[in-house]
Amino acid sequence: MKVGVPKEIKAHEYRVGLTPGAVREYVAAGHRVMIETNAGAGIGATDDDYRAAGATILDSAGEIFSSSEMIVKVKEPQPSEWSQLRESQILFTYLHLAPDPEQAKGLLKSGCTAIAYETVTDAHGGLPLLAPMSEVAGRLAIEAAGSALKRSAGGRGLLIGGVPGVQPARIVVIGGGVVGTHAARMAVGLGAEVTIIDRSIPRLRELDELFEGRVRTRFSTIESVEEEVFAADVVIGAVLVPGASAPKLVRRSMLSSMRKRAVIVDVAIDQGGCFETSHPTTHADPTYEVDGIIHYCVANMPGAVPLTSSQALNNATLPFGLALANKGFSAVLESPHLRAGLNVHRGRLTYKAVAESLGLPFSPIEQAAA
């Protein structure tokens, strides 16, 4: 199969769909890989590195899209990209369609087959292609919070871990999944006082055992969320509903009761965010203030550490990408895990949670593939 990797064009996105190491695997499996020139610059991979791995270097994204049977990316396609997709072409990338109706319409109009990293599953019911970036984002969330807490950045002027004789920051993590767990791990390591809120009692038990009493766990109710948020110096939004828009758990009316210049980090912003006052920001201008609360809502947090992120992502996507390259759409029909990743096919939405979030018709894969 002809596999193409365009350079990412979203603001401050430095990751790359295939690393040179991954390209070697595709080429060894008999596929032709085409890389847009300088696509790997953000991770320090030169065109010569890709040539040595067996790739062909093309001069423009237009050449990549026009000559490839499968496009492998990192972030969701931008308008100039989805307009170049065509019927029978496979797109394999993060999509996050639920809060993005324009992208959804663009993909539907193209007739392409779009498989979303964030909804591909594994044998354990997990989300193996979302997990590595969730790990990175969870850890980065605490770094971001530490920077935003500085008085020079508009925050409370608080050091996360405190010093002897001075209280550390109080950090509340809403959501005990992959993002929340890794955020809590970093926060605890820095010496913060950490609480994790989640709706799953079994998960709370797991977290209690994992952290051996170093974090507090609370079952998520309106009351517990309010109590913890109002007392927090930092609130990390780490709630995930696979494929769907994130629930709004902190309303604007609650901000006035929070500590002034406290920090909100909304890691769920790719799915619309779990704070009512969230809107996407960029690494160039990551924060803004609403009612005295500092908001950090960068929509591609792992893009700040592209070398780590690209390697971790490629480790996870490689077997699925090779399956698609080897068998084409048949791989989707044969694998329940790739079926779960299918969001758009031949002008139809094939992921129910996305269709419901967008208020558009849903087509089961059997109907869409008929």
Side-chain angles (χ1 to χ4, degrees):
M1 179 178 282
K2 296 177 182 178
V3 179
V5 179
K7 183 178 177 65
E8 296 293 324
I9 60 174
K10 189 166 184 174
H12 294 278
E13 181 52 67
Y14 305 107
R15 290 172 288 181
V16 63
L18 293 180
T19 62
V23 168
R24 289 188 66 183
E25 299 295 327
Y26 277 81
V27 172
H31 305 293
R32 183 187 177 196
V33 180
M34 294 162 287
I35 308 288
E36 183 181 353
T37 184
N38 295 321
I43 65 167
T46 66
D47 288 350
D48 284 341
D49 292 329
Y50 279 106
R51 289 190 184 97
T56 299
I57 305 300
L58 299 183
D59 292 332
S60 68
E63 291 177 87
I64 294 289
F65 279 92
S66 65
S67 58
S68 301
E69 298 167 275
M70 179 166 78
I71 299 293
V72 180
K73 282 178 42 62
V74 179
K75 290 304 292 178
E76 71 279 359
Q78 303 302 295
S80 65
E81 295 177 312
W82 74 56
S83 64
Q84 297 181 73
L85 293 166
R86 63 181 186 276
E87 191 172 348
S88 79
Q89 197 169 44
I90 295 173
L91 172 66
F92 192 38
T93 189
Y94 287 114
L95 294 177
H96 300 294
L97 289 176
D100 193 350
E102 292 307 310
Q103 184 202 168
K105 292 174 184 175
L107 294 181
L108 290 170
K109 184 178 180 181
S110 76
C112 78
T113 296
I115 298 164
Y117 290 163
E118 71 270 14
T119 61
V120 171
T121 59
D122 60 22
H124 307 290
L127 301 171
L129 308 191
L130 184 62
M133 295 305 93
S134 295
E135 292 167 351
V136 172
R139 296 183 181 212
L140 284 175
I142 301 305
E143 292 187 16
S147 295
L149 274 174
K150 294 176 182 177
R151 194 66 183 85
S152 58
R156 301 193 67 222
L158 191 65
L159 183 65
I160 282 182
V163 293
V166 179
Q167 284 188 327
R170 185 166 182 171
I171 296 180
V172 175
V173 180
I174 304 178
V178 177
V179 169
T181 300
H182 283 263
R185 190 188 301 276
M186 289 290 286
V188 167
L190 289 172
E193 180 183 331
V194 182
T195 299
I196 302 176
I197 301 175
D198 199 273
R199 293 195 68 87
S200 168
I201 291 176
R203 182 55 183 163
L204 292 175
R205 290 195 181 103
E206 292 173 355
L207 291 167
D208 187 62
E209 293 178 5
L210 174 66
F211 287 102
E212 298 180 330
R214 291 176 295 169
V215 303
R216 297 168 63 236
T217 59
R218 293 198 67 178
F219 183 76
S220 180
T221 62
I222 295 173
E223 182 178 50
S224 66
V225 170
E226 288 182 346
E227 288 178 353
E228 295 298 333
V229 167
F230 293 164
D233 300 300
V234 175
V235 182
I236 307 293
V239 178
L240 172 69
V241 179
S245 295
K248 307 297 183 186
L249 297 179
V250 175
R251 298 290 177 179
R252 180 166 187 167
S253 60
M254 297 170 63
L255 301 188
S256 61
S257 297
M258 292 179 64
R259 293 180 174 180
K260 290 302 177 186
R261 300 190 180 279
V263 172
I264 281 175
V265 180
D266 197 341
V267 189
I269 192 65
D270 273 327
Q271 292 294 128
C274 54
F275 305 121
E276 186 178 34
T277 45
S278 292
H279 64 73
T281 60
T282 67
H283 291 290
D285 189 15
T287 63
Y288 59 92
E289 183 178 331
V290 178
D291 297 341
I293 305 301
I294 309 302
H295 291 57
Y296 179 100
C297 304
V298 173
N300 62 328
M301 291 176 65
V305 287
L307 184 55
T308 296
S309 298
S310 295
Q311 290 176 345
L313 181 60
N314 274 249
N315 290 343
T317 59
L318 183 60
F320 295 96
L322 284 175
L324 288 167
N326 290 337
K327 298 184 177 181
F329 187 68
S330 294
V332 177
L333 298 176
E334 294 174 9
S335 167
H337 309 306
L338 282 171
R339 285 169 68 103
L342 186 67
N343 279 213
V344 175
H345 182 59
R346 293 180 181 174
R348 298 184 181 185
L349 280 174
T350 55
Y351 199 87
K352 190 173 184 179
V354 168
E356 290 176 346
S357 293
L358 295 173
L360 294 172
F362 162 68
S363 298
I365 185 172
E366 295 79 10
Q367 180 181 335

